[in-house]
Amino acid sequence: MHKISFYLIEKTAQRQADIACRLCQKIQHKHRIWLYFSDADYCKTLDEQLWQVEAASFLPHGIDLTHGQICLSQHLPDPSFDVCVNLSSQPIHLTELAHSALHLIEIVGHNTQDKQVAREKFKYYRHIGIEPIVHKI
């Protein structure tokens, strides 16, 4: 069964990309993480940011690197990854995936536009029968 978590950013100083990097840093030892993008520039920007997360640690990642621990891609997640962070503006149509159990993470920015996009995603996931879990950060 799929699990969906919404992370709501409550502080204006935090950005979606910063939270995505922190999540990768925190869970990459236990999970393979797919970062899904609809925008190639945003994908490249986050790729560069992951190289600079912390000088003392290394987050093994790459664009379309399907055999790595962290993959950044504009393609839907590979079935060998168990966590997907959706950084696109659209919900992921879980029925189109070959996954039987995927933890999908949606990071909601602090601005009005990001919140509206998140509301639409939340409604979609509920409509397909999955009750998302909400975390405030």
Side-chain angles (χ1 to χ4, degrees):
M1 183 65 166
H2 299 293
K3 176 182 175 183
I4 301 175
S5 297
F6 276 73
Y7 286 83
L8 304 177
I9 298 173
E10 294 192 315
K11 298 175 184 167
T12 57
Q14 294 181 340
R15 297 180 343 198
Q16 187 183 45
D18 297 332
I19 301 300
C21 289
R22 283 194 1 227
L23 279 170
C24 286
Q25 190 174 24
K26 184 175 181 178
I27 66 173
Q28 59 104 12
H29 295 294
K30 297 178 184 176
H31 301 280
R32 294 186 73 211
I33 307 160
W34 192 275
L35 300 170
Y36 177 68
F37 300 85
S38 56
D39 180 273
D41 290 335
Y42 189 21
C43 182
K44 290 175 188 170
T45 298
L46 196 62
D47 176 47
E48 291 171 13
Q49 189 171 343
L50 281 168
W51 285 109
Q52 302 167 13
V53 170
E54 193 173 297
S57 68
F58 171 69
L59 294 176
H61 72 281
I63 296 174
D64 293 323
L65 184 68
T66 58
H67 63 276
Q69 194 65 22
I70 301 170
C71 179
L72 294 81
S73 183
Q74 290 183 265
H75 303 286
L76 290 174
D78 183 279
S80 65
F81 287 76
D82 56 335
V83 173
C84 176
V85 179
N86 183 10
L87 297 167
S88 77
S89 60
Q90 299 296 315
I92 291 183
H93 297 280
L94 297 170
T95 55
E96 297 175 10
L97 300 179
H99 291 79
S100 59
L102 175 72
H103 184 176
L104 178 61
I105 296 173
E106 298 278 358
I107 302 171
V108 183
H110 190 68
N111 66 55
T112 305
Q113 181 181 355
D114 287 349
K115 288 178 182 179
Q116 183 57 41
V117 168
R119 283 185 196 100
E120 295 302 316
K121 289 179 179 182
F122 195 93
K123 282 190 235 179
Y124 168 76
Y125 296 130
R126 267 192 171 165
H127 177 74
I128 63 169
I130 302 172
E131 186 65 32
I133 300 166
V134 178
H135 306 275
K136 294 181 180 181
I137 51 174

